[in-house]
Amino acid sequence: MESSLESEDLSADLAAPRHIELPSSSRTSTIETKQQLRIVESSEAIRNTLSPELCSSLSISTMNTSKDQTLFLQDVFPFLFSPNVDDLNSDKPVNFNNLDLRLKQTITVPTLSEPQRSSLLEMKKRAEINGILGPSLVRMDHGRSMGYFDFSQDKLDIQGKSNFSTCCANTALTKGKWMYEVLLLSRGIMQLGWTTLSSFVNFTTQEGVGDTENSFAYDGKRIRKWNKGQVEYGEEWNVGDMIGCCIDLDIGTISYFRNGVPLGMAFDNVKTGTGYAYFPAVSLSYEEHIRINFGDRPFCYNIEGYEPIQSYPSDKIHCVEQYLLSVNNILKNLINPVKPNHFYNQISMAHIFDKIGHLMLDPYIIHSLIVPFLTEKCQLPEKRIKFFEALSTFLDDWELEAFVEELFHTVALISYCCVYTNEPTTKIQLLQLAIDMLANSQFSEIIINSPHFGHIFMLFLHFKGPDGSLLSSVVPHAWWPGNDEHKDSFDEATLRIHGAIKQVECMFAKMLDTLISGRHLKKFLAYLNDFINHILSSHVLSNLRNIPIHQQAFMSNLFLAISRSLAENTNHVSNSRVYIKSAYFTTKNNQCDFSDLPRVGGNHSHLKKEYKDYLENLENTEVDDMSHILNNTALLFHLGVYRRLLSADLFCREMTDHAAHLRAVREKIAKCPPEESEVLDDLRQCEAVLEKDTVTTSRMTAWIKTALLSENRMNDIIWMLRTLLRSVDMVEGEALYFMPEFYMMAILNMYRALQECFSQKAFTKHRQAPILFRELAHFFARHICNPMIKSIDVKDHILQSSVIFVNHSPTLQALERLSDDDCNHFMSSIVQNYSKNNYVHLSRMMIRFWKGHGFAFRDPPEYYKKRHEALLPGVLAGTACYMSVYEMEPNPSVKYQNLFSNYLGREDNGATFTNTVFNQLNSCLTEFMNSRKDMKKNQSSYTSLIERSCLMWYDLTIILVRFLEMITALSPHIMVANEDGMGYDPTSEINMERLVQLVIQVISRNQALTMSDDMIITQRFSTIDVLKLNSAITGIFVHLRRNVPHLLDIFIKKLILQPGFDIASFKNFLNAVNIVGSKRNRADFQSITPQEISEVEDVIAQMDNLNRESQVESRQSTIAEEDICPICYDRPISAVFQPCGHSSCRACITMHLYNSKRCFFCKLVIASVEDCNTSSANHPS
């Protein structure tokens, strides 16, 4: 009977729920609202959280005994059944009637209060006891700031917005040992520390913390400590580091910690006592970003003896901790019910959240209790889902919103601070928790709509790499090329890193997949647009080097996550459907979000006016979200990912350089005589430094190659590159003008990153490499020198990338497999656009087709594996990947040689083209000799720019002479005139004359370069090797002898008859190449064949024979003096100019007309040139 009455009472108490009206300001004034709600009796509050169906069902037989209730509650709330509690209430067993009372008696629930509103009396008391002046809720004080900042809502996340901004906390300290932590969200110039109020008033936007007497700071960017002056201190810091700032006001010292590791005592001259109170203070450069923790969350690294400035809520912690144990018990029942007790679970959960709902909004509680509970106790998806459902059911709307926002932010902060381990369990658990929150429809709505979503999301996509001692533990043994020791251990460490990073990257992709595949895609894209616009507004698109590294890292991980997510989600979709629709950037409404970015055809506003009719005729097509996502992903790569890959590749090359220098020093030590002890000591010191640097860079290289240059990253880039190539290929007609310029740049940068930064073996053997090379070949064939592309930078970038493309055998073969139309278009574009601005790149490309067929133009493999960088004319310094022609792997292309020969044979193409080559060659020779003179004049003080300039002009000279060798071999009749042959062309006479002058010029300058006063050049630069130029000239003679021997006779005769020609010097010139090749004593001439040596000997013998014949035959001119050409004084007059009537030989006037249309003598415009008899010629006076 007693149990029946209890059941009736409970049913009556829970029946007829009375709704509580929340105040309109509840979402902004959470604490006041919760205080109002606590006025309501707990039973009413519980009743209002339950559904009417549940309330009406509570009278059924499942709740008909008090004994059942007691057994259930004993399992859920074990702390209610401890001996002490049972003694107090032994006469009344615990059931749902007295549960609320028993919970209140057992655990005291702290009331809500606002620590900001501490009374003056309370603050005075705290100052006397603890030495703390200020409110108990410690924040950065906007009122005590110099310069401009962006503050978060809680005033703990701040970013500098002026030159050098300074801000203090709202609390000062007078005694005791205190600390606060600073999480670095950027890694630039910042001064973190402490200051007095008297020092603060002297701060400016140029001087901040540490620049005055009673202010002290540490700057890890410059590795300095500051107190009126600077002294070297500490270590260089990185993004994601946690800096502990500690002050001991009992003895007057300040110390700093980096990720819990002490940096040593920074200052021991801190004045203390009456009149001295120190505020936490920071000074930040523009855009530098930090988050400060004064104690509102648990410290990442607790320092023994130091206390947080803001005290932690111990009473709240104890209360929530007990109730979370009960929540865990209920969740176990819900996912694996032993008996049908669903109603009991719901009522118990309602009681729990009624007690601790308001406490769960505290960041400290969330950080220290809720997150561990979710990651450790609620790892099962079913259990976590039930917990989220309980939160949605039993928390008020405003409570749920505040809790979800704070929880998501806390998970992001903890994830951001996670340090790399080979088993990244914590990182993965946190990312999975975030994914589960985003998968919950109610939670994701709150998260996405939060004004802080963008900043919080960036924290998740951060994976802090190891450094220092942690790096040594991750990679115990270093290895580098040439050092076989520890190779196996190094490889094992690399595999472990790869496994850990792969897990984290999969979670990144899973998080992005949750965002872009759900109903919040539009909002995520809006966030992405805002982020990119922020980058674009802060940096000039043409100069992206100043984008901070942490933003590059975020863009790199975001690019990875999006591309991998899209690749996995579109595997079932035909590739032809995954591309950016041209309507995305050509519609009237211009759905491209970055309309102010340059387009392929120029400025967008100009294009809209120029092609107004074209745009009007387009249909208003709504573009799918895929185009939007792909567009932004390509822009992410262009803005940040490419720079990050280049930096990673550069660091790996530094390791190779360190290893090479270490090897060289050890060789010197081995050769150094023992008696030279001082030299040995210096070498050993140098060895120790280099070995330390090599070991450090080797370990970091293991991380970089696995984290940034892995095969998985290569897959992501290849997928995105093919998608962009498909997008560009689908654009037709005038739509190409409107395509964003960065599409082209992203394609080129992706290809160059794959070719230069990643493993060449892995790239060329990639399963998609053949298809990718074919698509790239089609892209270059279509767009090299495309007149529709207006940007000079884009044109130049395409040319540079084309040079790299033809430098490698697999890509060159793909270019050869193009259709005949594409091949002809490619070759025509190269030759037709061979001009002053493009000749460098185009010459290098053409020589690539020739190398391997030229004389002594086949180098051993160890030679072309080297890589050098140099300035190229018209190219921004540092952006050109430059490889000497003698460092390219020989792989000649017969197909493109034939196409080139066919082009030269059409109309007057050969004459025009060879004239341009000769002009450029003369210019390069002149520039080279001028650079050499500058070096001779200033042998002790010339700059590296002059050195590189000298190298560059010499290399270009070799390229152009090799070009002439190629033309001579493929189309000899263009280079050497045969007056007795059919179809005589005076252009050939001109080219032969210029070729003769080139040979004489090279021979004379060859002698100058081998003189003693020029030895500084050949000693300093091994690449300035006269034999390279000599072999190119020799090749012209050899190829004439192979293909058209009779033309070689004509050419040699012409050469012998020149006044400045010395046959003995020329024979020495040829013999020098021949002797070097026969002795094989030069690494770069090891590939000269015996046949080539024999051919050089035959040329020398042929020259001797022709020379003897010329001496026997009297060279007495039968031409009257008045009939000799007044220009060259060698050939008879054969042409007269109209209308002026002046005359010269046909060769001289033809050559002159290539460069000018005016008469040599009277400067009148020449209308026509006619053949004439010498007797009727008008000779100039």
Side-chain angles (χ1 to χ4, degrees):
M1 187 70 180
E2 181 180 350
S3 61
S4 176
L5 289 174
E6 289 175 354
S7 179
E8 291 175 3
D9 293 342
L10 180 62
S11 300
D13 186 49
L14 292 172
R18 177 166 55 86
H19 296 287
I20 301 172
E21 293 295 331
L22 297 181
S24 60
S25 61
S26 62
R27 292 188 180 273
T28 58
S29 188
T30 58
I31 293 179
E32 289 84 347
T33 303
K34 180 56 72 175
Q35 287 174 332
Q36 294 176 25
L37 289 177
R38 295 298 167 242
I39 298 174
V40 184
E41 291 181 356
S42 61
S43 59
E44 293 179 345
I46 296 170
R47 180 178 60 219
N48 286 328
T49 63
L50 301 178
S51 64
E53 293 81 4
L54 182 58
C55 293
S56 62
S57 302
L58 290 178
S59 60
I60 64 176
S61 59
T62 57
M63 298 184 60
N64 57 2
T65 65
S66 177
K67 184 178 180 180
D68 290 340
Q69 297 175 26
T70 302
L71 291 174
F72 174 83
L73 294 175
Q74 185 175 3
D75 180 56
V76 172
F77 300 101
F79 57 85
L80 291 178
F81 295 86
S82 64
N84 293 336
V85 176
D86 286 344
D87 290 343
L88 292 173
N89 302 278
S90 57
D91 56 332
K92 292 184 179 181
V94 179
N95 55 44
F96 284 104
N97 269 342
N98 57 25
L99 178 60
D100 185 66
L101 177 63
R102 296 295 291 270
L103 289 174
K104 289 179 179 178
Q105 290 175 344
T106 306
I107 299 177
T108 303
V109 178
T111 59
L112 279 176
S113 61
E114 277 198 282
Q116 299 101 315
R117 298 180 180 178
S118 302
S119 65
L120 293 176
L121 184 62
E122 290 173 342
M123 288 192 287
K124 183 177 180 181
K125 185 177 180 181
R126 290 176 64 233
E128 292 174 353
I129 298 175
N130 301 323
I132 302 177
L133 297 173
S136 57
L137 188 65
V138 185
R139 296 289 186 262
M140 296 305 287
D141 190 347
H142 187 277
R144 291 195 183 98
S145 63
M146 177 64 64
Y148 298 97
F149 287 96
D150 271 352
F151 288 88
S152 62
Q153 187 175 1
D154 60 7
K155 299 295 190 298
L156 295 176
D157 196 304
I158 63 174
Q159 185 174 22
K161 287 299 179 182
S162 55
N163 184 40
F164 200 56
S165 309
T166 302
C167 188
C168 296
N170 61 359
T171 300
L173 308 168
T174 60
K175 62 180 180 180
K177 299 171 68 175
W178 308 97
M179 69 171 289
Y180 68 95
E181 284 188 332
V182 178
L183 175 62
L184 303 184
L185 302 177
S186 62
R187 54 174 291 184
I189 295 176
M190 297 177 275
Q191 294 176 198
L192 315 177
W194 309 84
T195 184
T196 61
L197 191 59
S198 61
S199 294
F200 173 80
V201 298
N202 295 320
F203 293 158
T204 66
T205 53
Q206 283 78 38
E207 293 185 345
V209 184
D211 295 325
T212 56
E213 182 178 0
N214 290 319
S215 65
F216 307 86
Y218 161 54
D219 178 3
K221 174 66 174 179
R222 294 173 286 186
I223 318 179
R224 294 287 188 272
K225 62 180 181 180
W226 301 77
N227 175 229
K228 289 198 303 183
Q230 54 166 313
V231 178
E232 185 174 347
Y233 172 80
E235 302 171 349
E236 183 178 6
W237 58 31
N238 289 308
V239 174
D241 281 348
M242 187 68 75
I243 306 300
C245 305
C246 303
I247 188 169
D248 186 343
L249 293 172
D250 297 332
I251 60 175
T253 61
I254 291 176
S255 303
Y256 291 92
F257 294 76
R258 177 174 176 250
N259 300 324
V261 178
L263 301 179
M265 184 184 296
F267 306 100
D268 58 4
N269 59 335
V270 180
K271 296 178 181 179
T272 61
T274 305
Y276 291 98
Y278 289 88
F279 292 83
V282 297
S283 295
L284 309 181
S285 296
Y286 181 70
E287 289 291 315
E288 298 304 326
H289 194 182
I290 61 174
R291 181 171 181 84
I292 303 174
N293 181 12
F294 294 112
D296 70 319
R297 301 175 186 274
F299 284 149
C300 284
Y301 304 97
N302 287 299
I303 308 302
E304 185 179 356
Y306 291 90
E307 296 294 328
I309 301 173
Q310 179 176 318
S311 59
Y312 61 91
S314 57
D315 52 346
K316 296 180 183 179
I317 291 173
H318 173 72
C319 176
V320 176
E321 198 170 28
Q322 291 295 318
Y323 278 112
L324 283 179
L325 293 175
S326 299
V327 171
N328 187 47
N329 294 331
I330 296 174
L331 293 176
K332 289 179 182 177
N333 294 337
L334 290 173
I335 65 173
N336 187 24
V338 178
K339 54 186 178 180
N341 50 21
H342 176 69
F343 303 126
Y344 286 6
N345 289 321
Q346 293 284 2
I347 296 172
S348 301
M349 196 74 83
H351 275 285
I352 292 172
F353 284 107
D354 178 66
K355 300 295 185 297
I356 66 171
H358 63 291
L359 301 180
M360 291 171 59
L361 306 183
D362 191 311
Y364 200 102
I365 298 296
I366 292 176
H367 193 127
S368 61
L369 297 178
I370 303 298
V371 172
F373 175 78
L374 287 169
T375 55
E376 297 170 13
K377 303 293 185 182
C378 297
Q379 290 188 27
L380 293 175
E382 301 88 351
K383 200 171 182 181
R384 191 171 290 177
I385 290 172
K386 291 294 184 182
F387 182 71
F388 287 168
E389 289 176 352
L391 291 171
S392 300
T393 302
F394 298 110
L395 291 182
D396 297 325
D397 289 346
W398 63 270
E399 281 182 319
L400 182 65
E401 181 176 344
F403 174 78
V404 170
E405 285 187 9
E406 190 58 49
L407 175 62
F408 195 68
H409 187 199
T410 300
V411 174
L413 285 173
I414 301 174
S415 172
Y416 187 85
C417 296
C418 281
V419 180
Y420 170 84
T421 61
N422 288 330
E423 295 294 336
T425 306
T426 303
K427 182 79 174 179
I428 292 173
Q429 288 176 344
L430 293 167
L431 289 171
Q432 185 60 56
L433 174 56
I435 292 169
D436 290 343
M437 294 181 70
L438 290 170
N440 183 290
S441 60
Q442 194 170 358
F443 284 19
S444 62
E445 190 73 29
I446 296 171
I447 291 169
I448 294 290
N449 289 323
S450 169
H452 312 297
F453 168 74
H455 168 65
I456 296 172
F457 179 71
M458 286 184 66
L459 300 178
F460 278 111
L461 294 190
H462 174 79
F463 194 21
K464 183 181 178 184
D467 62 355
S469 58
L470 179 59
L471 182 60
S472 301
S473 64
V474 172
V475 187
H477 301 101
W479 172 86
W480 54 87
N483 175 30
D484 295 332
E485 191 178 4
H486 305 308
K487 179 71 166 62
D488 293 338
S489 174
F490 185 83
D491 291 341
E492 290 175 4
T494 303
L495 286 175
R496 287 193 297 269
I497 296 173
H498 173 75
I501 290 176
K502 185 177 180 180
Q503 295 180 62
V504 176
E505 289 179 348
C506 288
M507 298 305 293
F508 288 165
K510 190 176 179 182
M511 176 177 278
L512 259 294
D513 185 53
T514 306
L515 283 170
I516 64 180
S517 61
R519 58 198 179 97
H520 301 298
L521 174 59
K522 297 288 186 184
K523 292 180 180 177
F524 175 74
L525 289 175
Y527 150 71
L528 193 55
N529 288 348
D530 292 341
F531 171 76
I532 293 176
N533 276 321
H534 170 72
I535 298 295
L536 293 174
S537 63
S538 304
H539 304 88
V540 180
L541 190 62
S542 59
N543 184 14
L544 301 173
R545 301 185 185 188
N546 295 327
I547 294 180
I549 292 178
H550 68 279
Q551 289 185 346
Q552 292 182 17
F554 168 71
M555 287 189 277
S556 179
N557 288 332
L558 183 57
F559 172 84
L560 172 150
I562 296 176
S563 57
R564 196 165 300 180
S565 174
L566 291 176
E568 292 174 357
N569 288 331
T570 56
N571 280 337
H572 62 283
V573 180
S574 172
N575 283 338
S576 61
R577 293 171 55 190
V578 183
Y579 64 95
I580 305 173
K581 310 294 190 295
S582 60
Y584 180 71
F585 46 79
T586 56
T587 52
K588 298 177 189 177
N589 298 329
N590 184 47
Q591 298 179 46
C592 182
D593 297 282
F594 311 104
S595 58
D596 55 336
L597 291 179
R599 304 301 177 97
V600 167
N603 184 274
H604 184 245
S605 58
H606 168 73
L607 291 174
K608 287 193 296 184
K609 297 176 183 177
E610 184 73 17
Y611 298 96
K612 182 178 179 181
D613 295 339
Y614 167 75
L615 292 176
E616 289 295 332
N617 293 329
L618 291 175
E619 297 180 0
N620 281 327
T621 306
E622 185 173 351
V623 183
D624 57 356
D625 292 326
M626 179 64 72
S627 294
H628 194 159
I629 298 172
L630 293 173
N631 175 83
N632 288 0
T633 308
L635 192 50
L636 283 174
F637 186 91
H638 179 59
L639 292 175
V641 180
Y642 182 54
R643 288 288 166 196
R644 185 154 178 81
L645 292 175
L646 289 183
S647 299
D649 181 58
L650 181 61
F651 189 91
C652 294
R653 295 185 190 283
E654 285 182 6
M655 187 273 288
T656 305
D657 292 341
H658 285 313
H661 294 153
L662 178 62
R663 186 166 53 251
V665 169
R666 286 176 174 172
E667 290 174 357
K668 290 181 180 179
I669 291 175
K671 296 178 182 178
C672 186
E675 57 271 14
E676 305 216 3
S677 57
E678 292 185 3
V679 176
L680 274 174
D681 290 341
D682 291 341
L683 287 173
R684 289 194 177 103
Q685 288 180 5
C686 183
E687 179 190 24
V689 173
L690 284 172
E691 185 173 14
K692 181 180 178 182
D693 292 342
T694 306
V695 168
T696 302
T697 53
S698 170
R699 286 175 170 149
M700 186 55 70
T701 298
W703 166 264
I704 289 174
K705 284 193 172 182
T706 310
L708 300 178
L709 303 177
S710 66
E711 189 171 350
N712 289 333
R713 297 259 179 174
M714 182 192 299
N715 293 336
D716 300 330
I717 296 175
I718 288 176
W719 183 87
M720 191 63 207
L721 174 55
R722 293 196 61 203
T723 301
L724 274 181
L725 286 169
R726 196 178 306 117
S727 302
V728 173
D729 192 53
M730 296 294 288
V731 178
E732 297 180 352
E734 294 174 328
L736 184 64
Y737 286 120
F738 290 85
M739 187 177 71
E741 190 179 279
F742 70 83
Y743 287 14
M744 293 280 191
M745 298 298 287
I747 287 173
L748 301 171
N749 289 337
M750 285 180 189
Y751 165 65
R752 294 182 67 167
L754 290 168
Q755 190 73 68
E756 300 170 9
C757 301
F758 290 88
S759 166
Q760 284 302 292
K761 183 177 180 181
F763 178 46
T764 53
K765 292 187 176 181
H766 194 279
R767 64 184 184 279
Q768 295 190 36
I771 302 174
L772 175 63
F773 293 160
R774 185 172 65 248
E775 292 172 348
L776 280 167
H778 178 70
F779 171 83
F780 285 121
R782 180 184 177 190
H783 295 293
I784 189 170
C785 304
N786 189 340
M788 296 183 73
I789 301 174
K790 303 303 180 182
S791 169
I792 296 176
D793 289 340
V794 175
K795 288 181 178 179
D796 191 72
H797 210 55
I798 292 176
L799 287 173
Q800 292 181 51
S801 300
S802 302
V803 174
I804 298 173
F805 192 76
V806 301
N807 275 349
H808 301 275
S809 299
T811 49
L812 180 58
Q813 291 170 8
L815 198 63
E816 291 178 324
R817 295 191 186 104
L818 290 174
S819 65
D820 291 342
D821 289 341
D822 282 343
C823 289
N824 283 318
H825 183 268
F826 183 72
M827 178 55 64
S828 299
S829 298
I830 291 175
V831 183
Q832 289 173 6
N833 290 276
Y834 191 87
S835 62
K836 182 177 181 180
N837 296 328
N838 300 328
Y839 82 95
V840 175
H841 302 303
L842 295 178
S843 297
R844 292 171 57 76
M845 196 182 308
M846 295 299 297
I847 291 304
R848 183 64 184 89
F849 299 144
W850 176 243
K851 186 175 184 184
H853 285 173
F855 177 84
F857 204 31
R858 297 172 302 278
D859 305 310
E862 64 272 10
Y863 194 86
Y864 59 74
K865 285 182 180 178
K866 301 176 184 177
R867 298 187 64 183
H868 300 288
E869 291 185 358
L871 284 173
L872 290 179
V875 181
L876 292 174
T879 62
C881 178
Y882 180 77
M883 185 184 293
S884 171
V885 291
Y886 275 86
E887 294 163 4
M888 297 185 300
E889 180 182 358
N891 186 32
S893 173
V894 176
K895 180 172 185 177
Y896 281 99
Q897 289 178 22
N898 293 334
L899 289 174
F900 178 57
S901 177
N902 294 338
Y903 178 86
L904 293 180
R906 291 196 296 266
E907 300 176 354
D908 61 344
N909 291 343
T912 305
F913 187 80
T914 51
N915 178 64
T916 305
V917 175
F918 273 115
N919 290 341
Q920 301 297 351
L921 178 57
N922 290 335
S923 175
C924 288
L925 270 172
T926 302
E927 292 291 347
F928 166 64
M929 298 307 293
N930 289 338
S931 299
R932 185 179 64 87
K933 290 177 182 178
D934 291 340
M935 294 177 66
K936 285 176 59 180
K937 291 179 181 178
N938 306 286
Q939 292 186 7
S940 60
S941 61
Y942 57 79
T943 64
S944 60
L945 183 61
I946 299 178
E947 296 176 2
R948 299 175 73 186
S949 175
C950 190
L951 285 171
M952 178 194 68
W953 291 118
Y954 185 74
D955 198 37
L956 291 178
T957 299
I958 295 175
I959 289 174
L960 292 172
V961 175
R962 284 292 181 186
F963 210 163
L964 292 178
E965 178 195 22
M966 177 182 179
I967 296 172
T968 303
L970 299 177
S971 302
H973 294 282
I974 294 176
M975 300 301 295
V976 179
N978 182 7
E979 297 184 5
D980 298 331
M982 296 295 292
Y984 167 72
D985 184 357
T987 303
S988 302
E989 183 74 25
I990 299 169
N991 290 337
M992 183 170 66
E993 184 72 33
R994 299 181 78 172
L995 200 56
V996 165
Q997 296 301 323
L998 171 65
V999 172
I1000 295 174
Q1001 189 178 22
V1002 169
I1003 293 173
S1004 63
R1005 293 181 178 180
N1006 174 74
Q1007 292 174 337
L1009 281 173
T1010 55
M1011 293 172 60
S1012 59
D1013 61 340
D1014 289 328
M1015 286 304 291
I1016 181 174
I1017 299 177
T1018 54
Q1019 289 174 1
R1020 194 174 183 90
F1021 305 112
S1022 60
T1023 54
I1024 296 187
D1025 187 342
V1026 294
L1027 290 175
K1028 293 178 180 178
L1029 185 57
N1030 292 359
S1031 63
I1033 292 292
T1034 305
I1036 295 174
F1037 290 86
V1038 170
H1039 283 290
L1040 283 175
R1041 185 188 178 281
R1042 287 178 186 173
N1043 302 327
V1044 280
H1046 67 284
L1047 291 185
L1048 176 61
D1049 291 345
I1050 297 172
F1051 182 62
I1052 291 177
K1053 288 179 181 179
K1054 186 72 174 178
L1055 187 63
I1056 291 173
L1057 294 175
Q1058 293 300 309
F1061 179 74
D1062 179 18
I1063 191 170
S1065 298
F1066 185 68
K1067 288 170 65 177
N1068 292 335
F1069 171 88
L1070 294 179
N1071 275 320
V1073 177
N1074 205 25
I1075 292 171
V1076 169
S1078 62
K1079 290 185 177 181
R1080 303 290 197 273
N1081 59 354
R1082 289 290 301 277
D1084 47 338
F1085 282 89
Q1086 289 177 359
S1087 57
I1088 296 180
T1089 64
Q1091 179 187 351
E1092 289 176 331
I1093 295 173
S1094 176
E1095 287 174 325
V1096 173
E1097 293 172 349
D1098 291 343
V1099 169
I1100 294 174
Q1102 189 170 352
M1103 179 169 288
D1104 286 336
N1105 293 333
L1106 292 173
N1107 185 46
R1108 283 192 295 270
E1109 291 176 7
S1110 66
Q1111 292 176 356
V1112 173
E1113 298 175 2
S1114 175
R1115 189 180 178 278
Q1116 296 179 353
S1117 177
T1118 58
I1119 304 174
E1121 183 177 354
E1122 63 272 12
D1123 295 330
I1124 295 177
C1125 173
I1127 308 300
C1128 63
Y1129 289 97
D1130 184 47
R1131 292 176 290 270
I1133 293 174
S1134 57
V1136 61
F1137 321 150
Q1138 299 297 342
C1140 63
H1142 290 114
S1143 57
S1144 72
C1145 67
R1146 172 67 69 170
C1148 285
I1149 185 58
T1150 303
M1151 180 177 177
H1152 175 71
L1153 290 176
Y1154 284 134
N1155 303 308
S1156 175
K1157 300 300 181 183
R1158 295 184 178 275
C1159 174
F1160 284 110
F1161 311 105
C1162 64
K1163 304 306 180 185
L1164 287 177
V1165 175
I1166 299 175
S1168 62
V1169 178
E1170 299 175 358
D1171 293 333
C1172 70
N1173 297 321
T1174 55
S1175 58
S1176 61
N1178 179 18
H1179 302 289
S1181 56

